[in-house]
Amino acid sequence: MDTNKLLQTIKDRFSFRPNRNQLQELDRLVFEISRREKLSPEKIIADLPENIRFSRLKNLLIGRRFPLATKQEKISTHGLFLNELPKPLVDNWQPKREFKPLKILVEKEAKQSQLLKNFQNHCSGVEIEEIKLYSDYLKKHKFALNELKKPYIFIVKERWDFLKPCPCTKYHLGCGYWILNLGFGCPYDCSYCFLQHYTNSPGIVLPANLEDFFEQFDKFSQKIKLPIRIGTGEFCDSLALDQIAGYSKMLIPYFQNKNVLFELKTKSTNIKNLLDLRASKNIIISWSLSPEKLAGSEELAAPGLNQRLQAAQKIQAAGYSIGFHFDPIIYSPTWENDYQDLLKSLYQQLKPPLAWISLGTLRSNRRLKTVCEQRFPESNIFYGELLTGEDGKLRYPEFLRQEIYQKMAGWIRQYDSKTPVYLCMENKSLWKTLGEFDSSKKIEKYILSP
Ligand code: SF4
């Protein structure tokens, strides 16, 4: 409903004239209820008693907007994010299923790299521009949000940011995981992806100097107590461009004989290089999975659920360890059936035990919700019962997360009694609900035990 019309409707029907902030909050609540219930804003307002004051009206709308949370607890209005409704972007770049770079921008120091040659071999005729430094280039070129998925490739010499501990999140149990920074950006376009509000550049940044990382890791591994878990899928998809970049051909032989668990995390089906290499137990190829209908509506340009499972099946048969991530788990009225169907498909195709399964419910900071509304105006995932958690992120309330984790873990255990199941970015009491594998150390010990 247009804001002026809403203002007039409120003045006509209720006994107050809202100020600007009040109008924004009511607009947001009515909008989100109308998206959740597939009803017009007019109908939602018509359902309300006449001549009530602002605070009663707001409370009634909050009760309707968060029905499960309202039944369990008094919702603090500080926990609500009732921001102005953003306008959807115009001319938003949509990624294609088959990634083809529009342009390659290569730092001067990476011009002789094998990575650039790999791109030249696979993408003949693509324009290549030499730049001095990626950071300088960004200072001179400002990009708008609608260009985020413009298929630019930046080939850079990574200077200092190769390896770091997983930042996890405030007040939640750390996972003890290490991140190998294998680039930033992704050819897929998931509506919930946190990279969207994290970057000021379009395209994908890829490091050309993996040998420097290997040197750094050799020194690092002498100073710490091994084993550790290390993986590349934090700011990118580990395999989405592997058919071109070929990183796996260097990473897998390097980590194969080290006392670490090395994970490549993906939604892709680019497994050819992996099948050509020797597999080993400490190399874990893991897939992020969502029920088919969510994969279709929220994970644009990524392969569908069955394609991912088929790829996992081939990789398991080749001798690698396999992991899965149900993250984000998205609550909906049909979530139980959707995720049970997904687990059934998984265990029809893969043999337990797996290296691990992680669970994490939808969460985001406030800015991401706004970006998602601008870029994916059809998506409804942020109109679930998300309230501000103690880490400042929007999350489902704890009772709902607990129900989701317990049910998911119970369904997994019906098929598989051994695979470690752990939580991502959750507090200690929720980890405890899952039983024996309540820390990253226990998972490492389990996987690496003979
Ligand atoms: S696959 Fe991962 S990195 Fe790529 S868009 Fe989706 S969430 Fe983001």
Side-chain angles (χ1 to χ4, degrees), residues 149 186 188-190 192-193 195 235-237 267:
K149 289 290 163 175
C186 180
Y188 306 143
D189 201 8
C190 302
Y192 51 77
C193 180
L195 298 181
F235 304 112
C236 60
D237 181 291
K267 288 192 176 93

Side-chain angles (χ1 to χ4, degrees), residues 376-413:
F376 301 93
E378 306 295 318
S379 173
N380 281 330
I381 60 171
F382 284 103
Y383 307 134
E385 298 212 20
L386 297 161
L387 299 166
T388 310
E390 54 189 359
D391 59 351
K393 288 189 174 150
L394 298 171
R395 295 169 170 270
Y396 300 128
E398 187 160 327
F399 74 89
L400 199 52
R401 289 173 6 238
Q402 179 157 9
E403 178 191 327
I404 291 170
Y405 296 137
Q406 279 176 338
K407 285 186 172 164
M408 284 293 289
W411 297 328
I412 292 165
R413 288 288 171 250

